[in-house]
Amino acid sequence: MSLPPVFPPPEAAAAGPARSGRGTAGWWVVGAILIVVIAVGGVVVFCAGLWTYANHDRPELIDNPPVSEVAENACATMRATVAAHTAPPGASVDARVRSIREQNAAVTAMVAQVRGLDRDLLADDRPTNLWLADWETLVEARERYAADLAAGGRPHFVVPTSDGEPLTRRMNSVGLICEVPPQLVDLT
């Protein structure tokens, strides 16, 4: 003799597998939406970071066009003036001193022209003020040499340094078409 089949009560059948199947599918949908939102958010954050990096001021370069254009134009004028006022080999002490001071005046005029830009504009292009200060330091060292030479001394010119490196290396590596003319550092 066999026993009749036993069926669960109707409430248990309704709460059983059918209900857990719908709940599981709902969690899958919520999980998929969260993954998509996180992925899209990650892409947005990455793109924003890339945009910010591509458009930020590179601290080692003078790269703001209004600043770099004025600096390069002023530098071209300075370089031409320095070349024109170079004392010939074997020139007298007076001629050499006059040459150094005329070249210094050309550098000072270049620095003044760049410093004539808006203060905030210069500050926003980070190395500009340091670059200008380096030019001023070079002029000061050259003036000390010229004064010693004019006083009858036999001075020896050494390019000023920063952290053991000649200032000219830093001055030449700010991204401008403006290298320190060799006439400014070769005073022998």
Side-chain angles (χ1 to χ4, degrees):
M1 165 153 119
S2 83
L3 294 172
V6 177
F7 295 105
E11 302 87 37
R19 179 179 256 178
S20 65
R22 272 184 281 161
T24 302
W27 283 112
W28 277 102
V29 169
V30 169
I33 289 172
L34 283 174
I35 289 172
V36 168
V37 167
I38 290 170
V40 169
V43 168
V44 167
V45 167
F46 174 78
C47 289
L50 186 61
W51 175 261
T52 300
Y53 176 77
N55 291 301
H56 84 292
D57 178 39
R58 292 186 56 194
E60 72 279 8
L61 300 177
I62 297 174
D63 55 1
N64 188 346
V67 176
S68 63
E69 289 171 10
V70 168
E72 287 177 345
N73 289 336
C75 184
T77 301
M78 177 272 297
R79 289 178 57 84
T81 303
V82 164
H85 291 286
T86 299
S92 69
V93 170
D94 288 342
R96 289 174 57 204
V97 169
R98 186 174 44 258
S99 170
I100 291 168
R101 289 183 171 151
E102 288 170 344
Q103 291 171 333
N104 285 351
V107 173
T108 301
M110 176 195 74
V111 169
Q113 190 172 355
V114 177
R115 285 207 191 277
L117 293 170
D118 181 69
R119 212 174 242 177
D120 291 335
L121 186 63
L122 294 176
D124 285 343
D125 209 355
R126 290 184 194 137
T128 306
N129 286 319
L130 180 61
W131 181 74
L132 293 169
D134 287 347
W135 283 102
E136 292 166 334
T137 299
L138 181 61
V139 165
E140 290 167 5
R142 286 171 46 85
E143 178 53 37
R144 282 191 302 275
Y145 178 90
D148 287 349
L149 190 61
R154 295 185 49 84
H156 176 70
F157 181 75
V158 177
V159 175
T161 61
S162 175
D163 298 327
E165 296 286 328
L167 285 183
T168 52
R169 181 169 294 145
R170 183 168 67 191
M171 294 161 73
N172 288 340
S173 58
V174 293
L176 296 177
I177 302 170
C178 182
E179 290 194 7
V180 177
Q183 300 94 328
L184 294 181
V185 294
D186 185 18
L187 299 180
T188 56

